[in-house]
């Protein structure tokens, strides 16, 4: 289903099922959990087009992978597909990897250069491999120089690779984790890749007891160097999404709502920008940072400094995506969800992509969407 709506209040929306989306008063989508209202900044479509990018981001709360690009006649194109507990996400123009409740999904673009689906979509990402891990609470995913996946196994407090015969193969754990057991002890959650290797990870605390991280959310957060096992940043509040970019170790200090980096001299956190939401998901392209925001979850992400800062500034928590200048943190563009969706997770930039779609593994469309690799008969 697609619907065109001009200007900043309009979006071309493609959903898994064939259903109509109202165009008045902003786009609204109906899901199993209720309605979702979508709004975005003037100029977002032009920004994506001039940057020659599309974006992918996930919501494990609603089990959705979202793709946004620039559609026909200057309209924003939004596509969603159902993936249970969609979380960690990484990809490029040809391939996307997604972590779900029990699997890592590899999606391949099946269109050749210059081909279009439905005359408008330059990429169609089709799930071609679903590697079953079981429920290990997959968080972020990286692709190594040898092409193998590495992912954050939060339930077992370690980094893992997929296994051909088993649920996973552990490749690293923090020194303070005494054993690999299905107990989320330190809430290992984020992964930064450098030169095709896992280099930095984020954890909420040094706890070695089941759920112990929950008692140290305010100032127990760590950034760990995977190669040396050294703790290079500490005193953080629920850090997420470490990234190595332009010579700096960036991260989201989620408990305070800040994007910033680690001072290389002493490891102190240097904030760049405050966001009105709980942050998980960070990507860079050009001179901009792309961040996903969630509304604080009752019983889990409440009682942090973020709550106080929102009250002091008389601001409402967001669920959405904000794009800020890497130089000064100023807000360039945004996309916001209201209604049934309150949490997002990861985000990735898809370079040289205009208007992508994907087919969910259980969608009606995937049954008869068949492509054939050129034969060598």
């Amino acid at each position: 289903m697609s619907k065109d709506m001009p200007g900043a209040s309009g979006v071309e929306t493609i959903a898994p099922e064939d259903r109509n989306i109202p165009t008045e008063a902003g786009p609204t989508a109906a899901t199993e959990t209720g309605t979702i209202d979508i709004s975005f900044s003037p100029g977002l479509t032009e920004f994506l087009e001039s940057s020659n990018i599309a974006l992918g981001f996930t919501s494990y709360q609603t089990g959705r992978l979202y793709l946004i690009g620039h559609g026909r006649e200057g309209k924003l194109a939004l596509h969603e597909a159902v993936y249970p507990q969609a979380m960690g996400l990484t990809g490029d123009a040809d391939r996307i990897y997604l972590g779900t409740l029990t699997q890592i999904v590899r999606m391949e673009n099946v269109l050749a250069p210059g081909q279009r689906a439905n005359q408008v979509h330059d990429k169609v990402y089709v799930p071609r491999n679903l590697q079953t891990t079981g429920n290990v609470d997959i968080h972020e995913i990286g692709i190594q120089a040898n092409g193998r996946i590495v992912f954050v196994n939060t339930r077992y407090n370690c980094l893992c690779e997929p296994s051909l015969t088993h649920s996973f193969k552990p490749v690293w754990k923090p020194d303070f984790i005494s054993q690999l057991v299905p107990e989320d002890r330190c809430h290992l959650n984020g992964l930064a890749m450098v030169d095709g290797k896992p280099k930095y990870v984020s954890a909420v605390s040094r706890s070695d007891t089941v759920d112990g991280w929950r008692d140290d959310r305010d100032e127990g957060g760590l950034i760990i160097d995977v190669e040396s096992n050294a703790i290079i940043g500490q005193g953080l509040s629920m850090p997420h999404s470490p990234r190595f970019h332009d010579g700096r170790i960036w991260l989201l200090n989620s408990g305070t709502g800040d994007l910033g980096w680690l001072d290389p001299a002493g490891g102190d956190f240097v904030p760049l920008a405050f966001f009105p939401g709980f942050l998980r998901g960070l990507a860079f392209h050009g001179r901009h940072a792309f961040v996903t925001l969630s509304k604080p979850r009752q019983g889990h992400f409440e009682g942090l400094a973020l709550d106080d800062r929102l009250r002091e500034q008389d601001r409402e928590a967001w669920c959405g995506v904000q794009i800020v200048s890497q130089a000064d943190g100023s807000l360039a563009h945004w996309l916001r969800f209201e209604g049934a969706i309150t949490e997002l997770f990861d985000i990735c930039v898809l370079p040289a992509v205009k208007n992508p779609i994907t087919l969910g593994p259980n969608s009606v469309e995937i049954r008869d969407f068949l492509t054939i690799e050129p034969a060598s008969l």
Side-chain angles (χ1 to χ4, degrees):
M1 174 279 307
S2 66
K3 197 70 176 179
D4 292 349
M5 290 169 283
S9 62
V11 59
E12 177 188 50
T13 310
I14 306 95
E17 296 83 17
D18 185 12
R19 59 176 184 258
N20 291 322
I21 289 183
T23 64
E24 293 79 13
T28 303
T31 71
E32 295 87 343
T33 55
T35 60
I36 296 173
D37 296 317
I38 307 164
S39 58
F40 55 94
S41 58
L44 176 58
T45 307
E46 290 80 3
F47 171 80
L48 295 176
E49 184 173 9
S50 64
S51 302
N52 194 25
I53 60 172
L55 300 177
F57 54 94
T58 57
S59 169
Y60 68 93
Q61 175 212 9
T62 58
R64 294 292 194 276
L65 167 64
Y66 293 95
L67 300 176
I68 61 170
H70 41 101
R72 295 165 292 193
E73 300 176 0
K75 299 173 180 65
L76 191 73
L78 170 67
H79 171 74
E80 62 172 22
V82 177
Y83 287 91
Q85 195 171 300
M87 291 188 68
L89 183 69
T90 188
D92 56 28
D94 297 318
R95 178 177 295 163
I96 291 175
Y97 287 99
L98 170 67
T100 72
L101 177 63
T102 60
Q103 295 173 319
I104 295 175
V105 182
R106 175 175 57 82
M107 306 173 212
E108 298 287 344
N109 168 51
V110 299
L111 298 185
Q115 281 189 317
R116 293 292 183 269
N118 299 334
Q119 299 182 332
V120 294
H121 304 296
D122 62 325
K123 304 292 179 181
V124 178
Y125 295 100
V126 179
R128 293 305 189 198
N129 177 269
L130 289 83
Q131 177 84 30
T132 300
T133 62
N135 183 9
V136 296
D137 201 9
I138 298 170
H139 274 56
E140 294 192 335
I141 300 174
I143 307 301
Q144 301 177 85
N146 61 9
R148 292 186 61 83
I149 300 166
V150 59
F151 64 93
V152 180
N153 182 335
T154 300
R155 190 178 180 195
Y156 281 80
N157 310 283
C158 61
L159 296 181
C160 296
E161 293 180 351
S163 167
L164 288 178
T165 53
H166 299 282
S167 297
F168 56 87
K169 175 186 176 181
V171 295
W172 178 87
K173 69 175 179 62
D175 280 347
F176 55 80
I177 295 296
S178 58
Q179 54 183 331
L180 293 179
V181 289
E183 299 174 351
D184 180 0
R185 297 183 171 189
C186 65
H187 204 65
L188 195 72
N189 56 52
L191 171 62
M193 303 292 292
V194 178
D195 297 329
K197 298 179 181 179
K199 178 60 175 175
Y200 305 109
V201 296
S202 53
V204 174
S205 84
R206 293 180 61 117
S207 168
D208 193 29
T209 60
V210 59
D211 271 355
W213 63 270
R214 298 185 187 276
D215 300 325
D216 206 7
R217 300 177 306 155
D218 289 326
E219 298 180 338
L222 313 168
I223 302 297
I224 308 170
D225 186 315
V226 172
E227 293 180 357
S228 67
N229 285 294
I231 294 175
I232 60 171
Q234 53 189 326
L236 301 165
S237 180
M238 297 197 72
H240 282 78
S241 304
R243 303 287 185 263
F244 187 75
H245 179 70
D246 279 356
R248 285 176 170 168
I249 303 171
W250 295 79
L251 66 128
L252 303 173
N253 202 36
S254 306
T256 65
D258 290 310
L259 161 68
W261 64 85
L262 292 183
D263 182 347
D268 293 331
F269 178 71
V270 181
L272 172 71
F274 170 73
F275 296 78
F278 190 86
L279 309 178
R280 288 169 300 181
L282 172 63
F284 289 93
H285 182 79
R287 302 305 299 170
H288 291 89
F290 301 72
V291 181
T292 56
L293 295 76
S294 299
K295 295 186 177 183
R297 190 194 312 163
Q298 271 195 332
H300 290 82
F301 304 147
E302 289 182 312
L304 298 164
L306 171 62
D307 295 342
D308 295 331
R309 297 182 74 178
L310 289 172
R311 281 192 295 268
E312 290 168 1
Q313 299 183 22
D314 193 24
R315 300 177 73 176
E316 180 183 352
W318 268 51
C319 175
V321 176
Q322 292 194 1
I323 304 169
V324 301
S325 166
Q326 182 185 321
D328 60 12
S330 59
L331 181 62
H333 292 286
W334 53 267
L335 182 144
R336 186 172 186 175
F337 291 102
E338 293 287 356
I341 181 172
T342 60
E343 295 187 31
L344 301 181
F345 188 74
D346 208 356
I347 187 169
C348 72
V349 174
L350 303 173
V353 177
K354 296 179 180 178
N355 188 350
I357 58 173
T358 181
L359 305 181
N362 298 316
S363 65
V364 173
E365 295 87 351
I366 203 169
R367 180 188 63 186
D368 296 317
F369 187 83
L370 305 177
T371 61
I372 302 173
E373 185 172 339
S376 56
L377 301 178

